[in-house]
Amino acid sequence: MDEFIVGLIAATLRVATPLIFATLGELFCERAGVLNLGIEGTMFLGAFVGFTAASMTGSLWIGLLAAAISGILSGLLMSLLSVRLGVNQHVSGLGITLLLISLSLFSYRIIFGESKIPPSINSFDLLKIFSDNPVLGPIFSQYLLTYIAIAIIPVVWYILFRTTFGLNIRAVGENPEATDAAGINVYKLRTSALMIGGALMAIGGSFITLAQLGSFTFGIIAGRGWVCISLVIFGNWHPIKVLLGALLFGGVSALQLRLQLKGLKLPYEIFLALPYIVTIIALTIAGRNASYPAALLKPYKRE
Amino acid sequence: MFKFRIERAPAPMWTKPLIPIVAILVTFLITSILIILAKANPLQAYYHFLITPLSSTFSALEVLVKATPLILTGIAVTFAFTSGYFNIGAEGQLAAGAIAATWVGITFGNLSPIIAIPLMIIGGFVAGMAWALIPAILKVKLKVDEVVTTLLMNSIIVYFISWLLNGPWRDPISNWPQSPDIGSSAIFFRLIPKSRLHIGFIIALIVVVIVYFLIKKTPLGLRMRASGASKTGAEFAGINVSKTIFIAALVSGGIAGLAGVSEVAGIHYHLIDSISNELGYTGIIVATLGGLHPIGVAISALFIGLIDTGSQTVSRMLGVPVYLGNVVQSALLLVTLGMLLFQNYRIKRL
């Protein structure tokens, strides 16, 4: 196989990894009826906390764990506002994103100061599988987290569609009144969905610092959270279709970079804007038929 | 022993103006933990935050400079939210207005200011409306959620500006990706010499008055408020809700576009890629703090402008990272949101 294509496939998987984690996180929240616009900020927080914890303890796994915990806390904050208090989900989610980004930047400056050379960590190593094979070698030379991301997809599918917990989550996202009448605690379920979702978003963000870059920069998430919001819609709130969307986006981004390196004179910005444009077109085509969880955006108030 | 019960009922009217004040106090209390972590004295820090910027004429005027685009984006958000349309796209609509202003400013910037400046204002307004058009049509015709689409439009225009500034509009003289400067007649003149305060501030105040009048005193405003309060109720009363929302969405985009005009013609004099710089998102904070009331929005924009200016003072004087300002603003938003709900409860003594 052509070296170009092999490199492209490998890069696609790398670019898609954080998106898979975070999109699955958003999927959990939305299936429970909460549009979590805190995703961009939660990914940012995860990238920052993961990096900071890893650089302080010297352990990347502690970094990953710390990121997940920070994501859970972000989910709890979203739950307090949008589930417990019933605040408008758009404004509270966006507020959380603004808060978490500024809080991360503030803390970064306090902890690491304003050094000219940005601090860095030894990031995760690429796994060596089939390393002798010229085609499979580069494709399978990925971070363990990439494999975990792909492995999590069937797990999420199983939880959502084959367990009572998942059934309840979906029920809460479709018809909270009926779910409540059946004796299920709507608040608790939405809160747990937000906690799981937050953890996944933060892990997605931390992949970028702990695996891809090994350092933290201020533009580190750069709208990836909003891409994930699109991917959930694009994937019609289904884990498997979400994977396809993430791979498609990853593929386009990776292709864009490679074409740029080859000196192609096409404006690369078109490729970067493409996922957003495609989502809007997809929404237009799906229109009324887009299968939004019925109770999405509706705060539930127990009478 | 006193016994209390919390019940769902509107809180007494006199508590309404207290909410922002209590929210500010609570936010300051929470954020003082961060100031202590930054090894500074919270009281000193808040003195520099709130008092020092007002103690010199230059920095006091700088507060107004910072508040100018925020008044406009805050009013833009208010206009849409009032009618129940959640326009999260002020960020992108501002950028669209800035692009149009740059184009007009370069093309017609050597004519008389009497021609150039009104053209820029109209161009910015129309461009902001145009960028708001697709989400508005999708909302009205296909019931596609406007939050997601307006958010996506924000990301798209970032790449469009990046393409403009790296390609056709790139200023060949500059090392940065930025457009050439607009013509001198297109530059907003200064209101007070030796300050950066420009006529954009006056334009913003005029917009506040017009929007106040529109929302509170005209049939359109009544229809907007009715649609925002209850869609079904408004439809039952014979109001064309779709049409009302569509108008509100476009005007909201136009007002956000004016913020872009003001930033290009009053501050930068050319297009840069960070032209929006979260002014659109901060507009949501401003609108919420201002209780979606045009006058309240103007006051809260001044307050957020003060925090913006103050965070630079605190950073300079005490070495606290400048991001404290953004933390305070966003924490204030969340605290206020949480507190607004208390408006619907009252404590009763049994």
Side-chain angles (χ1 to χ4, degrees), chain B residues 149-208:
Chain B
T149 46
T150 49
L151 198 60
L152 297 179
M153 295 297 282
N154 292 344
S155 300
I156 293 173
I157 204 159
V158 168
Y159 295 116
F160 183 60
I161 289 191
S162 159
W163 171 72
L164 279 177
L165 297 183
N166 288 306
W169 280 20
R170 171 136 202 174
D171 181 5
I173 302 159
S174 167
N175 290 324
W176 302 101
Q178 61 183 42
S179 76
D181 278 1
I182 55 174
S184 54
S185 344
I187 289 175
F188 278 4
F189 32 87
R190 300 278 162 90
L191 291 172
I192 294 161
K194 285 186 189 160
S195 87
R196 297 203 299 162
L197 191 65
H198 53 87
I199 51 161
F201 183 66
I202 304 294
I203 295 172
L205 292 184
I206 294 170
V207 169
V208 170

Side-chain angles (χ1 to χ4, degrees), chain A residues 222-235:
Chain A
R224 280 188 181 83
W226 310 140
V227 173
C228 295
I229 299 265
S230 329
L231 289 177
V232 174
I233 301 169
F234 188 77

Side-chain angles (χ1 to χ4, degrees), chain A residues 32 34 76 79-80 82-86 172 176 179-180 184-195 299-303, chain B residues 8 345:
Chain A
V34 183
L76 278 172
S79 157
L80 172 70
S82 70
V83 178
R84 289 281 159 185
L85 293 173
V172 159
T179 322
D180 194 3
I184 292 159
N185 189 330
V186 176
Y187 296 147
K188 257 193 195 158
L189 267 171
R190 284 194 167 169
T191 304
S192 43
L194 282 167
M195 286 162 69
Y300 180 67
K301 282 209 178 74
R302 206 170 178 188
E303 295 304 326
Chain B
R8 191 171 293 180
Y345 293 90

Side-chain angles (χ1 to χ4, degrees), chain B residues 12 14 35 58 61 74 90 95 114 129 145 178 194-195 215 230 256 307 311-312 314 345:
Chain B
W14 57 266
I35 300 172
F58 177 80
L61 291 172
I114 301 167
M129 277 172 72
D145 181 42
Q178 61 183 42
K194 285 186 189 160
S195 87
I215 292 181
S230 158
I307 292 182
S311 61
Q312 285 165 0
V314 177
Y345 293 90

Side-chain angles (χ1 to χ4, degrees), chain A residues 81 85 87-88 90 94-95 99 102-103 106 109-110 218 226 230 233 267 269 272 276 280 284 288 303, chain B residues 8 34 38 86 88 138 141-142 147-148 151-153 155-156 159 162-163 284 321 323 326-327 330 333 341:
Chain A
L81 288 162
L85 293 173
V87 172
N88 174 315
H90 314 131
L94 215 62
L99 177 71
S102 50
L103 199 61
F106 179 86
R109 270 288 146 77
I110 287 189
F218 283 16
W226 310 140
S230 329
I233 301 169
E269 288 91 353
L272 293 175
Y276 304 104
I280 292 181
T284 312
R288 281 175 227 266
E303 295 304 326
Chain B
R8 191 171 293 180
L34 296 177
F86 289 97
I88 310 292
L138 289 180
K141 293 284 174 204
L142 296 171
V147 173
V148 174
L151 198 60
L152 297 179
M153 295 297 282
S155 300
I156 293 173
Y159 295 116
S162 159
W163 171 72
I284 297 170
Y323 303 104
N326 302 76
V327 177
S330 43
L333 170 70
L341 282 154

Side-chain angles (χ1 to χ4, degrees), chain A residues 5 34 40 64 79 103 123 151 168 178 185 215 242 245 248 258 267 275 286 288 293 295:
Chain A
I5 296 179
V34 183
E40 177 85 6
L64 195 68
S79 157
L103 199 61
S123 56
N168 289 343
N185 189 330
S215 61
V242 156
L248 196 67
R258 283 180 160 58
R288 281 175 227 266

Side-chain angles (χ1 to χ4, degrees), chain A residues 50-119:
Chain A
F51 174 78
T52 307
S55 90
M56 281 177 164
T57 61
S59 160
L60 294 166
W61 292 104
I62 291 180
L64 195 68
L65 183 71
I69 292 170
S70 75
I72 291 173
L73 292 176
S74 153
L76 278 172
L77 181 60
M78 183 67 188
S79 157
L80 172 70
L81 288 162
S82 70
V83 178
R84 289 281 159 185
L85 293 173
V87 172
N88 174 315
Q89 290 178 8
H90 314 131
V91 184
S92 48
L94 215 62
I96 286 176
T97 283
L98 294 174
L99 177 71
L100 295 183
I101 291 178
S102 50
L103 199 61
S104 303
L105 293 176
F106 179 86
S107 312
Y108 183 84
R109 270 288 146 77
I110 287 189
I111 295 168
F112 296 101
E114 233 171 307
S115 60
K116 283 266 186 293
I117 313 142

